[in-house]
Amino acid sequence: MPPRTAVFFHAHPDDEALLTAGTMAMLAAEGHRVVLVVATAGERGLADMEPGEELGRTRLKELYESAALLGCARVECLGYGDSGLSPKGGVADERPDNAFIDADTEQAAGRLADILREEEAELLSIYDPAGGYGHPDHVQVHRVGRRAAELAGTPIVLEATVDRDPLVRLLRLAGKVYRFPPEFDVRTFESAYSPGEVITHRVNVRKYTRQKRAAMAAHASQAKGGDGDRTLAVLLKVPGPLYRLVFGTEWFVRRDVPPGTRLRHPLDPWPS
C-alpha cells in the first residue's frame, strides 16, 4: 500500500491514547503519515492541579509526548475551550465563552477541512454519534468531523468506538470483584459506543500495545484527580499479557459501506 495520510480528530488530550493509539502507531509503522488534531487543550479535566490555563498547557505538553511515541508527523490544537461535563453527565451550565460545544459547526468544520485539504488526507477518524460515552465535546467532534470530511472530500471517514456488547458483559463481571472509581458508572456503557452489528473494522493492534500503553502513561495529569485514582490510572495497572488481550483490538464504524461489511485495514478501499 503506498503511503497515505490519516487524520485523527479528538476532543481532548488523552482521548487519542484511549481509543485510537494502536491504529495510529500501526499506520505510522507502515509508513503512512499520521496527523493528530484535538479540538481543545482539555483545561477543564479532573487533575491534581486546578482547572485552567496551567492544566491546559500541561495536557498539551503530554499530548505532544504521546504523539511522538505513536509516530505522529503533525499535531494541531484548534484552540476551542474545553466544554467540561456537568455532574449529571450532560452539558455543563458553566463553560468558557469559546466552548467547543457552542462553536458554530460550519466554522469549526471549515478549520478542520483546511487541514484535511492541506494534508490531502485519505482518512479522517472521528467518534460515533453518541460521542463514545456521551461527553458533549465528543458528540461535537462527530458533527464537526462529518461536515469537515464533506467539505474537504475526504474519502474514508471512520468513527472510533468500542464494541459495547462484550464491554458491558465484562464490566458487569468485573464490578462483582472490583470497586470502580467514582466517575466510572457501568450503567452508562449500556447505551454508549456502538453495538457489534454496526462495527466494520476490528483492527488488531496487539503488536502496538507497548506504544499504546506508553501513550496512555504520557498523560500523567489524568491519572489522579477528584477522589483519587482515575480510570486512566486503573487501566495502566492492568498486567502486560492481559493488557495486550484487552487493548489489542480497536473498533471503527464506516457508514458508507453496506451493513455487515468487515474490512481488515483502516485504509481499505470500498468501491462506490
Side-chain angles (χ1 to χ4, degrees):
M1 185 181 295
R4 300 177 184 176
T5 297
V7 176
F8 289 78
F9 183 36
H10 286 279
H12 319 98
D14 88 351
D15 290 331
E16 86 291 342
L18 294 166
L19 274 179
T20 63
T23 302
M24 295 166 72
M26 179 188 75
L27 290 174
E30 291 175 351
H32 301 291
R33 180 174 171 84
V34 176
V35 176
L36 174 58
V37 180
V38 293
T40 81
E43 67 276 8
R44 300 188 69 195
L46 289 174
D48 280 342
M49 65 182 69
E50 290 295 318
E53 290 186 11
E54 182 181 353
L55 176 57
R57 287 193 296 270
T58 296
R59 296 194 68 182
L60 285 178
K61 181 179 178 182
E62 293 170 346
L63 179 75
Y64 276 93
E65 181 180 346
S66 168
L69 291 165
L70 298 176
C72 293
R74 177 182 178 183
V75 181
E76 294 287 344
C77 178
L78 297 184
Y80 291 101
D82 183 350
S83 304
L85 194 64
S86 79
K88 297 181 180 180
V91 178
D93 293 329
E94 295 183 5
R95 50 188 186 270
D97 294 336
N98 67 333
F100 185 48
I101 191 62
D102 297 323
D104 179 82
T105 301
E106 197 72 12
Q107 183 184 55
R111 295 181 62 192
L112 179 59
D114 287 342
I115 296 174
L116 295 174
R117 293 190 195 97
E118 181 182 343
E119 291 287 346
E120 297 181 349
E122 295 262 351
L123 179 154
L124 172 65
S125 170
I126 57 175
Y127 302 137
D128 58 24
Y133 63 94
H135 192 295
D137 282 339
H138 289 221
V139 176
Q140 182 76 322
V141 161
H142 174 82
R143 290 193 292 256
V144 169
R146 274 280 166 198
R147 181 58 179 148
E150 292 175 357
L151 293 173
T154 304
I156 299 175
V157 179
L158 299 184
E159 299 173 2
T161 188
V162 173
D163 186 342
R164 73 170 174 233
D165 301 335
L167 175 64
V168 169
R169 291 194 296 269
L170 178 63
L171 290 176
R172 286 173 178 167
L173 179 63
K176 295 180 179 180
V177 297
Y178 178 77
R179 183 177 179 181
F180 289 110
E183 81 270 14
F184 195 94
D185 186 349
V186 174
R187 293 171 298 178
T188 64
F189 289 88
E190 295 175 358
S191 59
Y193 299 106
S194 303
E197 62 188 18
V198 304
I199 291 175
T200 55
H201 295 71
R202 289 171 170 80
V203 182
N204 184 341
V205 298
R206 289 187 184 179
K207 286 177 60 177
Y208 305 96
T209 51
R210 180 179 60 83
Q211 292 95 318
K212 183 171 183 173
R213 188 167 191 146
M216 291 170 62
H219 294 281
S221 70
Q222 297 305 289
K224 290 185 178 294
D227 296 327
D229 285 354
R230 299 188 61 215
T231 303
L232 185 63
V234 174
L235 298 180
L236 286 170
K237 293 177 181 178
V238 176
L242 181 59
Y243 186 95
R244 285 191 294 275
L245 177 65
V246 174
F247 296 101
T249 301
E250 292 179 348
W251 299 266
F252 299 89
V253 179
R254 183 170 171 179
R255 301 285 176 180
D256 64 337
V257 300
T261 300
R262 295 292 181 263
L263 298 174
R264 294 184 177 183
H265 193 279
L267 287 166
D268 277 348
W270 182 259
S272 57

